[in-house]
Amino acid sequence: MTALSSLTVFGTGVMGSQIMMQAAYAGKTVVGYDISDEILETLEGRWEWMRRFYRRDLAGFTDKKFDEAISRITTTTSVKNALAAADIVIEAVPENLELKHKLWEQISAVDPGHAILTTNSSYFLPSEIAPSVRRSNRFAALHFATRVWLANIGESMGHDGTDPDVLDAIAQFGEEINLRVFRVRKEVRGYLLNAQIVPLIKEAARLYVNGVGTFDEINESFKVGLAAPTGVVDTFDSAGFNVFHDIFANDEDPSLREFANVMKIGIANGKTGLGDGEGFYTYAEDGRKTGLSNQIPPVWEI
Ligand code: NAD
């Protein structure tokens, strides 16, 4: 199988930028598409944010290697240009089905017909997005976890119409960019990982909203009781408040909708988690936790 050497990522936010760097650091040529030059300009700051983690977390890190990775990345606001040389496409735009459909229609209209097409959607199934993908037989999910360089899982998941060789190609690409790839054998919301952790996340959100504990008590009880390195509340910070706002804003459970409003506090403050240096906790520049944020008070004080 020929290597997929050129990656295009649609949406250069929290996950898109991490995926771009993961691939570029592994030697791939990367194009990032976003809706404005202003947004694309913020990537420089994201690289410097990631550089500190790569330096801290990855054996064999050198600034030279990181700079070479940056030099393999280009950006564009043209869908057509973004697709021109792509061997594989990863869509990482916000978790909104209508928006994803619109983008995939745009992609399909100018798709030169060569690339493997994937979505990084956390919640939506490939079969829910596929109706707007013209070459849906070449379309599947490739789902990453935040802090890709450390939590290097890649979950692939097809829909009924996905050609089997597409999943083989995704597996090979994933390995080449240093992921451990898990092929999810049936379409399921949340893949293997999120299907297990989302119930925990929802429960942590409910415990907070119902005033059962402070966010730190909820987090620490989990860590202490399971001798675990991270707690569930840490996930809100590492994945970022935007994701949980989008997932919970329309949930049928009123407690989770209320939690989406709590996420709005951080979003309005521009402090949405680890990426901004503050979420429920505060962080040093190298990502070490430094204390409790006071932007989200215990619910009984709100
Ligand atoms: P984000 O809000 O940080 O980034 C989204 C990016 O998409 C932004 O740069 C935005 O400008 C851009 N965008 C908006 N509309 C667009 C359009 N029409 N075309 C192209 N780009 C557009 O979101 P995120 O956290 O990176 O999440 C992106 C996707 O990744 C979602 O589907 C989410 O479920 C999934 N995901 C997120 C995480 C996580 O931990 N954050 C983990 C795994 C998967």
Side-chain angles (χ1 to χ4, degrees):
M1 201 182 298
T2 45
L4 305 175
S5 58
S6 181
L7 164 69
T8 291
V9 176
F10 283 88
T12 62
V14 171
M15 280 314 295
S17 61
Q18 292 184 24
I19 295 166
M20 288 165 71
M21 183 49 75
Q22 181 77 11
Y25 197 72
K28 303 290 182 189
T29 305
V30 177
V31 179
Y33 167 93
D34 216 302
I35 45 178
S36 74
D37 286 325
E38 290 69 37
I39 292 172
L40 290 171
E41 277 159 21
T42 64
L43 279 173
E44 258 178 56
R46 290 193 189 271
W47 304 148
E48 293 318 307
W49 177 82
M50 268 177 241
R51 185 193 294 270
R52 293 191 280 269
F53 289 94
Y54 273 61
R55 184 181 291 126
R56 186 191 72 175
D57 296 334
L58 296 186
F61 169 89
T62 65
D63 281 303
K64 184 166 174 280
K65 270 165 76 174
F66 198 84
D67 289 335
E68 283 167 1
I70 294 176
S71 74
R72 284 190 278 275
I73 298 172
T74 55
T75 59
T76 180
T77 54
S78 153
V79 176
K80 190 159 184 241
N81 292 349
L83 292 168
D87 297 320
I88 179 163
V89 166
I90 299 176
E91 168 269 301
V93 304
E95 196 66 346
N96 172 313
L97 190 57
E98 202 182 324
L99 186 101
K100 288 188 189 283
H101 277 305
K102 273 198 191 133
L103 177 66
W104 280 106
E105 279 162 16
Q106 275 179 281
I107 292 174
S108 296
V110 291
D111 173 10
H114 158 67
I116 301 280
L117 306 170
T118 72
T119 178
N120 181 47
S121 174
S122 298
Y123 181 80
F124 300 112
L125 301 172
S127 59
E128 291 171 326
I129 300 173
S132 51
V133 183
R134 181 167 53 81
R135 288 188 301 119
S136 58
N137 60 320
R138 310 305 286 167
F139 174 70
L142 173 57
H143 186 248
F144 294 74
T146 186
R147 296 183 302 154
V148 176
W149 63 93
L150 261 189
N152 50 351
I153 185 173
E155 295 180 275
S156 71
M157 187 164 81
H159 59 95
D160 281 350
T162 306
D163 295 338
D165 69 298
V166 166
L167 297 172
D168 295 337
I170 290 173
Q172 183 179 321
F173 174 77
E175 278 160 27
E176 286 168 3
I177 65 165
N178 301 313
L179 301 180
R180 180 141 175 234
V181 180
F182 294 84
R183 199 177 295 201
V184 182
R185 292 163 191 267
K186 285 183 178 175
E187 260 198 326
V188 67
R189 226 173 267 295
Y191 312 84
L192 295 172
L193 175 62
N194 283 353
Q196 295 176 73
I197 63 172
V198 166
L200 295 176
I201 286 170
K202 287 186 170 176
E203 209 44 52
R206 287 190 194 102
L207 290 170
Y208 171 78
V209 161
N210 293 318
V212 180
T214 67
F215 61 81
D216 191 47
E217 288 162 352
I218 297 165
N219 203 47
E220 288 296 312
S221 60
F222 186 94
K223 284 170 64 183
V224 173
L226 290 179
T230 58
V232 181
V233 175
D234 288 319
T235 312
F236 296 120
D237 278 6
S238 58
F241 287 10
N242 289 311
V243 177
F244 297 103
H245 174 267
D246 291 351
I247 293 176
F248 293 153
N250 298 312
D251 200 281
E252 57 192 20
D253 179 342
S255 294
L256 296 180
R257 293 202 300 277
E258 203 176 325
F259 191 77
N261 286 332
V262 173
M263 298 286 92
K264 275 192 194 159
I265 300 173
I267 293 168
N269 291 339
K271 294 174 179 170
T272 64
L274 180 62
D276 297 321
E278 186 167 346
F280 281 107
Y281 294 96
T282 55
Y283 301 89
E285 286 209 327
D286 67 359
R288 255 176 320 109
K289 198 185 266 185
T290 50
L292 306 179
S293 162
N294 54 17
Q295 68 164 340
I296 312 282
V299 76
W300 51 87
E301 286 178 14
I302 290 182

